Amino acid sequence: MDRVNLLDLDSAQVAAFLASVEEKPFRARQLSRWIHRRGAGQFDAMTDLAKSLRAKLAHTAEIKAPGVIRDSTSDDGTRKWLLDVGNGNAIETVFIPEDDRGTLCVSTQAGCAVNCRFCSTGKQGYSRNLTTAEIIGQLWWAEHALRKTLGIAAEHERVISNVVLMGMGEPLQNYEPTLRALRLMLDDDAYGLSRRRVTLSTSGMVPQMDRLGQDCPVALAVSLHAPNDALRDELVPLNRKYPLRELLAACRRYLKVAPRDFITFEYVMLDGLNDSDAHARELVALVAEVPCKFNLIPFNPFPGSGLKRSSQDRIRAFAQRLQDAGIVTTTRKTRGDDIDAACGQLAGEVQDRTRLAQRASRKLPPLVAANS
Ligand code: SAH
Ligand code: SF4
């Protein structure tokens, strides 16, 4: 019998699983706390569970996150893990420490089908959706690895205070597994994050934005990148299916149920393409009816993109235009680019994938086992 991976289940499903093996569903809470709050990877460690239950769990269940292929730390403290999700696919998770918070940037797919022109994940193509275990496993692994590095033993002292679904993949094209992972992030017996500290970023999957608003309205970031349909059609091909008018209407509907009273619009700054004063003016008019903030992202180049980052002066002038119109605008600091951990550089690089395939064919063990 295949064992059930408990990282795949939200708390209601853990309770149902326990009932299915004739155990008391209320043990779910204890089990969840061991796994998510204390980082247990083995049932033996769960000393306040009866020995018979631990033995049963060891036969029927497992706690399995993706294995770590590489663990790199940037000069600025950004830490990136390259994780093995099987069949030569690798995904990336990035931790960004700041003075007042620690943010984990999580992937939801291996590759991405949306294929935005400026994104190296998109250029890599789509491989597959991640499972809930692979999504929440990134947080599980990173939180407990960081605690170990920092020598933090207490279970209530969290290193990761914020999660952004801004790694590889379009989260709303992998709806159910992402939703279950979001619920675990918010669950007090798991990570206990507030809805405001969990941000999902989407390129504009309109029907799923509405569903998310009903199911689990976390903070929402929308990747806008262009002030009109003609340009957005080119940069974000999904725009041909869900054009700006529909996207902005979905943003307004989302705000009726959301924990934040604004949408964060992300806007990648591409030299000569979307960064003129005229574009800024068009943008201000476009978003006039959506309470929003802007986050300008200097384009992070990758080989063969054929695109250039806007100059600092241009980014500053563009930001000023938005601010003059009363829109709070920040420019994202580029972090971790010495380890290719900056936005849009998360590709599980081709050479990594080749190396991974070589490792697999030589049947080498992963460099670090996630459950060790
Ligand atoms: N698929 C989702 C979430 C992952 S992408 C989305 O598109 O929103 C996260 C953010 O990184 C998006 O705003 C995306 O536009 C941005 N991004 C992608 N490639 C980039 C690059 N090369 N330089 C800077 N930002 C990039
Ligand atoms: Fe996919 Fe987001 Fe990259 Fe576009 S920017 S290709 S939606 S990961």
Side-chain angles (χ1 to χ4, degrees):
M1 188 178 80
D2 276 349
R3 291 193 203 154
V4 173
N5 186 356
L6 296 182
L7 288 182
D8 255 325
L9 311 182
D10 62 25
S11 53
Q13 290 171 313
V14 173
F17 163 73
L18 286 172
S20 78
V21 294
E22 284 153 21
E23 292 289 342
K24 300 272 186 302
F26 71 80
R27 296 268 177 229
R29 195 154 176 237
Q30 243 171 319
L31 200 51
S32 182
R33 288 179 161 232
W34 270 111
I35 297 170
H36 296 289
R37 294 182 57 153
R38 298 193 193 164
Q42 305 290 340
F43 300 110
D44 280 352
M46 304 180 180
T47 43
D48 59 357
L49 295 183
K51 262 201 165 144
S52 58
L53 172 56
R54 281 187 263 156
K56 195 186 273 182
L57 287 171
H59 274 105
T60 52
E62 61 184 354
I63 302 161
K64 193 163 175 272
V68 175
I69 301 164
R70 198 169 58 204
D71 177 346
S72 19
T73 304
S74 156
D75 294 341
D76 65 16
T78 302
R79 187 162 164 187
K80 178 173 92 165
W81 292 272
L82 185 70
L83 303 173
D84 177 10
V85 291
N87 293 331
N89 286 313
I91 54 155
E92 294 177 306
T93 302
V94 181
F95 175 68
I96 306 145
E98 285 172 288
D99 292 343
D100 59 341
R101 73 184 99 168
T103 304
L104 191 73
C105 179
V106 164
S107 296
T108 54
Q109 297 182 309
C112 181
V114 178
N115 196 15
C116 300
R117 228 185 101 191
F118 48 81
C119 176
S120 67
T121 301
K123 290 289 153 290
Q124 171 192 307
Y126 169 75
S127 292
R128 70 168 173 85
N129 283 328
L130 299 186
T131 62
T132 299
E134 289 164 339
I135 301 171
I136 205 68
Q138 297 169 60
L139 178 54
W140 180 81
W141 169 257
E143 173 66 33
H144 300 294
L146 287 162
R147 281 191 206 177
K148 247 181 236 158
T149 306
L150 298 170
I152 296 172
E155 74 176 271
H156 58 270
E157 255 185 76
R158 261 191 266 122
V159 185
I160 296 167
S161 61
N162 295 58
V163 175
V164 293
L165 273 58
M166 291 185 187
M168 297 166 68
E170 168 48 56
L172 295 184
Q173 286 192 345
N174 182 19
Y175 191 81
E176 292 292 344
T178 297
L179 176 65
R180 224 177 295 151
L182 287 174
R183 287 189 168 138
L184 280 165
M185 290 173 199
L186 306 184
D187 187 338
D188 281 338
D189 293 325
Y191 300 91
L193 297 171
S194 88
R195 287 171 194 279
R196 289 167 183 266
R197 289 179 175 272
V198 176
T199 303
L200 182 145
S201 174
T202 180
S203 55
M205 297 288 296
V206 165
Q208 288 78 2
M209 286 166 65
D210 285 326
R211 271 181 80 186
L212 186 70
Q214 296 306 316
D215 291 341
C216 190
V218 292
L220 190 67
V222 172
S223 292
L224 206 54
H225 307 314
N228 58 59
D229 282 322
L231 184 54
R232 196 164 190 272
D233 280 352
E234 292 306 312
L235 295 178
V236 183
L238 190 66
N239 195 67
R240 295 174 207 157
K241 193 158 183 199
Y242 304 115
L244 282 168
R245 197 176 44 80
E246 288 180 34
L247 179 58
L248 294 171
C251 290
R252 284 199 299 275
R253 288 194 296 276
Y254 195 86
L255 286 179
K256 292 197 176 127
V257 291
R260 292 210 180 205
D261 44 13
F262 60 89
I263 299 279
T264 302
F265 286 124
E266 296 164 279
Y267 196 95
V268 65
M269 297 299 292
L270 298 163
D271 181 51
L273 261 184
N274 66 353
D275 64 349
S276 71
D277 283 350
H279 289 126
R281 265 196 306 278
E282 211 180 347
L283 209 47
V284 168
L286 179 77
V287 301
E289 282 168 37
V290 183
C292 63
K293 293 186 179 177
F294 264 80
N295 195 349
L296 306 181
I297 316 174
F299 170 63
N300 290 310
F302 55 91
S305 73
L307 301 167
K308 268 176 61 192
R309 177 187 293 183
S310 310
S311 71
Q312 272 195 13
D313 282 350
R314 184 84 296 270
I315 296 177
R316 225 174 282 133
F318 196 89
Q320 195 59 51
R321 296 284 165 277
L322 300 182
Q323 262 152 357
D324 290 347
I327 302 173
V328 174
T329 304
T330 51
T331 301
R332 194 173 293 172
K333 273 188 269 162
T334 296
R335 301 276 309 253
D337 47 2
D338 54 332
I339 55 167
D340 278 351
C343 298
Q345 290 181 324
L346 306 184
E349 306 143 36
V350 174
Q351 90 235 32
D352 290 330
R353 304 179 92 211
T354 318
R355 250 190 261 141
L356 190 62
Q358 283 166 355
R359 287 187 73 77
S361 66
R362 281 186 278 139
K363 298 222 175 348
L364 293 173
L367 301 183
V368 189
N371 285 335
S372 62

